[in-house]
Amino acid sequence: MKIYIPLDSVAVALGADALVAALEAEADRRGVAVQIIRNGSRGMVWLEPLVEVVSDAGRLGFGPLTLADVPGLFGDLGAHPKALGLVEDLPWMKGQTRLTFARVGVIDPLSLDDYRAHGGFVGLDRAKAMSKAQIVAEVTDSGLRGRGGAGFPTGIKWKTVSEAAGDQKYIVCNADEGDSATFADRMLMEGDPFCLIEGMAIAGLACGATKGYVYLRSEYPVAIRIMNDAVRIAREAGVLGPHFDMEIRVGAGAYVCGEETSLLNSLEGKRGVVRAKPPLPALQGFMGRPTVVNNVISLASVPVIMEKGAAHYKDFGLGRSRGTIPLQIAGNVRFGGLYECAFGLTLGEIVNQIGGGTASGRPVKAVQVGGPLGAWFPPSLFDTPFGYEEFAGKDGLIGHAGLTIADDSTDMLAMARFAMEFCAIESCGKCTPCRVGAVRGVETIDRLARGDTSAIPILTDLCNTMKLGSLCALGGFTPYPVMSALTHFPDDFARSKEAAV
Amino acid sequence: MLDSSAQTDRIAEILTAHRGLDGPLLPILHAIQAEFGHLPQVAIPQIAAALTLSKAEVHGVISFYHDFREAPAGRHVIKLCRAESCQTMGADAVAGRIKAALGIDWHETTPDGRVTLEPVFCLGLCACGPAAMVDGRLVGRCDETLVAEVSE
């Protein structure tokens, strides 16, 4: 009997480790030989822990599985109360175009044999036979843009580093995925770590870099463990070595270190303070050397682009948003999780059809797209197609493609206040609009909460100052959630003085 | 509890083990905190000397990051996510009840030294909030019954 139980943080947080122990004990008691494989998550969080039993027909899913459901796995599987049928046939799986996440949830994340059997290293092998310029051209032609949020064309960044003079260059993976509603980086690292390693190795070939770093946030203990194991295994197998080697570095709880220059300072062992640009990190990055800083998903999308070709990847998407995007549907949602598809679905399709509306069953009030620095979208904007320019055109951003769904009990003034409070806590302190502006923002929103509507123009002006005057996206984008809340939900900001006391 | 010379020896070992790394300060601080549960004051001049930094620079780095603590935490640490996705699932109310049950606020430790309560901004469990981490263990869809898990 072969059984898959995810090691993904979500499955673990919902009891997967206890299930493993219970399954082993039950198998022992019955004298049945069981092989348990810890896989990544399929991304259907409402079904976690999702246990899969290998049958002749394919992998049969059972979930969300509790300890009481374990003995039933040794009986008539078709009659099991949590039976879901073949996992591949579930509508959530069938609706997706899994390019970057093709192996996540499918393979044993730490098995190189599994990885190779599912197309792993085909892209790297192809890259080895190409020139630096050819690799860069392939990535450029794919239309891949930075998945961390900024959306800068990956190939152009690589070209700058590739052509920069320098005896030592670096590939730095930004795995400081601190935005609420985002977990694609985590799932990829936990479910298919060799994919990230392969992507970084290809980047190394393209840019002439021999050293890579993954800056991984400390809040992700499972991902840290899996990535460290994967790097060790890859090194033992000769995938990593003197030609290209890498280290996993752990962050220390500072949100701003997701900003690339702050990340580089942190990686150098300094305070995670933002650097002024120029110089670009591509020319003077880690230790002052030419450095590629890419998000996990950007780098992990490179192997499939190299494997199947730029044209295959570019065929998906809309406008200037090419390829696929792993949507992370979260918050107060019925069917939450990771859903990889081509750009272009409307926000309403994502929230209502894929996500199934709220978990509470109440109406959706707003959706924050792109993390704590993203705008809140009301249902009246649900016809917005999911793409970089399309969201920018509605005064929003797609960021790292996380969506926080909120029901009608949500107080948007409180959410706006939280955005300013968060910015005040996490500001690196280097620039005044962010350091001081966020504190003044909290105070100004508190005036509104007390019914002082004269604070509205002050808040608007403050947001404008932060947006235009901040050094990085923390201060510069905090106005998005604040102003979108104020613009789309004015009733929540119109407190009467009597009610506010 | 190690005496101070044993502590100094252990810190020296950690410093030696990190020799050769580019930008070794964060890995060193993590390793010392993993060893002692916090960053003892005696470590600062020792690190500064080893990395040819000033004590102020080392202190500046320690104080910048939320993870590093200069005093021991309680015997148990509860981290509750305060970020937006968890808020939409009632994280604020859960935090309020946990604070009331423990009689402490964020960043505080119960007078008996049993529990420290810390906020965290995102554990990546955003589709099964409210999320928490109890002594390093991840918990999805948590509520105030977490408090019972850290009873002694």
Side-chain angles (χ1 to χ4, degrees), chain A residues 261-299:
Chain A
T261 61
S262 154
L263 183 155
L264 291 170
N265 275 337
S266 185
L267 202 56
E268 291 179 5
K270 300 172 184 159
R271 293 163 66 89
V273 173
V274 173
R275 297 178 185 171
K277 288 191 274 193
L280 292 172
L283 299 173
Q284 290 180 41
F286 183 60
M287 309 301 274
R289 308 296 181 88
T291 303
V292 166
V293 185
N294 276 157
N295 169 255
V296 173
I297 302 303
S298 311
L299 288 163

Side-chain angles (χ1 to χ4, degrees), chain A residues 103 107 111-120:
Chain A
R103 285 175 292 262
I107 63 167
S111 162
L112 275 175
D113 290 341
D114 258 16
Y115 185 67
R116 284 203 180 87
H118 288 81

Side-chain angles (χ1 to χ4, degrees), chain A residues 9-10 13-14 45-46 170 178-183 186 213 217-221 247 249-254 256-257 266-273 286-287 329-332 336-337 359 368 372 404-406 415 418 421-422 425-426 428, chain B residues 20-27 29-30 51 53 56-57 59-68 79 81-90 92 106-107 119-129 131-133 136-141:
Chain A
S9 293
V10 159
L14 297 173
V45 172
W46 75 98
Y170 297 101
D179 291 351
S180 183
T182 65
F183 40 84
R186 180 185 61 66
Y213 291 92
R217 60 201 302 266
S218 63
E219 293 87 346
Y220 283 180
E247 276 178 44
R249 288 287 179 90
V250 178
V256 75
C257 289
S266 185
L267 202 56
E268 291 179 5
K270 300 172 184 159
R271 293 163 66 89
V273 173
F286 183 60
M287 309 301 274
I329 309 171
N332 191 335
Q368 187 178 31
T404 294
I405 295 165
M415 299 313 290
F418 176 77
E421 184 192 358
F422 180 69
I425 294 170
E426 297 298 335
C428 82
Chain B
L21 290 188
D22 279 330
L25 185 50
L26 259 65
L29 294 174
H30 276 305
L51 303 184
L53 296 170
E57 282 171 305
H59 174 76
V61 170
I62 292 170
S63 62
F64 183 86
Y65 296 96
H66 300 305
D67 282 3
F68 299 131
K79 295 186 180 187
C81 180
R82 285 194 62 206
E84 288 86 347
S85 288
C86 286
Q87 284 187 46
T88 67
M89 293 302 284
D92 284 347
W106 296 121
H107 306 292
V120 63
F121 294 99
C122 200
L123 295 164
L125 306 174
C126 320
C128 58
M133 192 188 259
R137 193 174 58 83
L138 298 166
V139 187
R141 296 189 199 109

